[in-house]
Amino acid sequence: MSGESEPSEPVVHGALMGGFAQACVNLNIVAGRRATALLADIDMGRWFPLSKWMEIERMVGESYANVEPIRLKLGIEMMRLWYHGGPGKALIHRGADFLHFQTGSHGIASVIRGPREVVGSFDLAEFDSDRGHAVIRSSTPFDKTIERGVLIGGVMAPGDLYYVDVTNDGDPNRLVVEFH
Amino acid sequence: MTLDEILEGRDPDRLSELSREDMRRLFWMYKGLLKRVERDTAYWQATNDNLRTAYERLDEQERELARAYQTIRQDLEIAQQVQHALLPKDHPEMLARFEFSVYHKQMTEVGGDYYDFYRLRDGSHAIGVFDISGHGVSAALIMAYLKAQLVQTMEQVSRPRDIVEYLNNATVGFLREVRRYATVNFVAFGERTFRYVCGGGYGVLVRGGEVHTFNKGDPFIGLRRRAYSEYELPFETGDVLALYTDGMVEAQDSAGADYSTRRLHELVRTNSELPANQILQRCLDDYGQFRRVDADDITLIVLRRRAA
């Protein structure tokens, strides 16, 4: 896929899809033949329709009665894989770097493409190192609990911070990060 | 004393000596630990809840499976009754002319072996023995289909060759479509002879102490349209005829050896002076001692012409 023009249909990069699928397998959300089929289906170098991501999200939602803690863990596990088994370690060195990586939706733009009104943004809106406070404004189509997990996992992954939490009380699109 | 030294376990009583910065680190470490425990506890609680839900679903599916199995069992019992009803029961006209004994055993509730006695349009008696490929309900349904087709066929023609050829032509299209076929052994009795058509079936005549094996080289029913051959053999008072399917002769002993046609034919020959039911019983006794396990449906018919 060329980088010059946006595709008319939203697409998600295979690396992100692969990380998501692998996290599902690692947490035994899918297992056995379904796990093999899910992973075999994903080529890390390709772009996939956003609908495929949504299909997996739906599958996770339908698999569990109490799904929110699972979604949170899924996001954390994805970022653990991204940092320790993927390109993350080369891109960020401190927890705060992961937050800066989101400036101008830089992070999200590398893994999802398509009409802006559909793919939305995932942008660092506030950052205060002294207070250990940051705000991410998110308007992506992804599940917000998984996104909270992604932020927690991404900020914790380098291992330089003792405390990380992400809340979105009141406004699901405003992800408040506390880090120390 | 630094926080790292205390955490390494050197002297926990000296926490008060920590710098403000180390105390601050310790505070966030502790809070971070609590937060992780909180998240992990929620995760494991959810996993536990989900496991319970999964078990409940499994229980429900098990109950559904049991209900479905019960329905299948009932259907199979009915299918078995229907299949038994399709086999011949009372045949006084045959008994008046022939002394005979039948052994018929299906591997499952319903099976693919089928035999029947007929009265042809020219008044002669006949026997058909068929072995439909496969087992179970589908083979039984094919059996019912063949029986219905045979009834229609025998309203049209009466020579064994014509009957089998007509039956094959009428059924080959459907049987090929459902990928099934059937061996055929059709025997029509005359006054002192019988005529037969044999495609994959088994037959042996013992006459005057000699064994005459059926020529079984004609095609199975349902493979292709082709002309069939008809053969005639003498069949007089005292002669013994045995018709059977492959279930018995292809069964194996614990060493992997087949029971074999030769063994069965020899057994019929050496006991050919006995009544038909005793010949059959001798065969079954010998087979029972030989075979390790039944591997297929079994049909064995032993027949002797009565004195006129």
Side-chain angles (χ1 to χ4, degrees), chain A residues 80-96:
Chain A
R80 192 188 67 77
L81 290 170
W82 174 76
Y83 186 82
H84 293 287
K89 203 173 277 186
L91 294 171
I92 64 167
H93 306 291
R94 296 176 308 129

Side-chain angles (χ1 to χ4, degrees), chain B residues 83-91 94 100 102 104 114-118 127-128 143 147 301:
Chain B
Q83 190 170 40
H84 283 171
L86 292 174
L87 295 172
K89 284 180 193 64
D90 302 321
H91 16 71
M94 283 282 285
F100 65 89
V102 178
H104 178 71
Y114 162 52
Y115 72 95
D116 212 344
F117 302 126
Y118 312 99
I127 299 177
M143 167 195 152
K147 183 178 172 92
I301 300 172

Side-chain angles (χ1 to χ4, degrees), chain A residues 48-128:
Chain A
F48 290 86
L50 175 65
S51 56
K52 187 166 178 63
W53 174 286
M54 292 302 169
E55 196 182 301
I56 303 176
E57 269 196 8
R58 196 164 42 248
M59 183 266 295
V60 173
E62 286 168 358
S63 300
Y64 295 97
N66 179 8
V67 74
E68 289 307 297
I70 305 288
R71 284 180 171 141
L72 192 73
K73 190 77 170 177
L74 198 49
I76 295 171
E77 176 65 12
M78 265 179 73
M79 288 301 105
R80 192 188 67 77
L81 290 170
W82 174 76
Y83 186 82
H84 293 287
K89 203 173 277 186
L91 294 171
I92 64 167
H93 306 291
R94 296 176 308 129
D97 293 347
F98 186 74
L99 296 169
H100 288 298
F101 189 59
Q102 312 308 327
T103 305
S105 293
H106 177 70
I108 196 78
S110 64
V111 288
I112 179 168
R113 302 184 60 200
R116 187 166 175 78
E117 67 276 15
V118 179
V119 301
S121 61
F122 193 79
D123 192 10
L124 180 65
E126 297 172 26
F127 183 84
D128 184 337

Side-chain angles (χ1 to χ4, degrees), chain A residues 64-65 73 162 164-165 180, chain B residues 25 28 32 35 39-40 50:
Chain A
Y64 295 97
K73 190 77 170 177
Y162 302 121
V164 180
D165 196 20
H180 299 281
Chain B
R25 276 176 66 203
W28 285 118
K35 183 54 73 178
R39 277 196 290 262
D40 285 349
N50 295 329

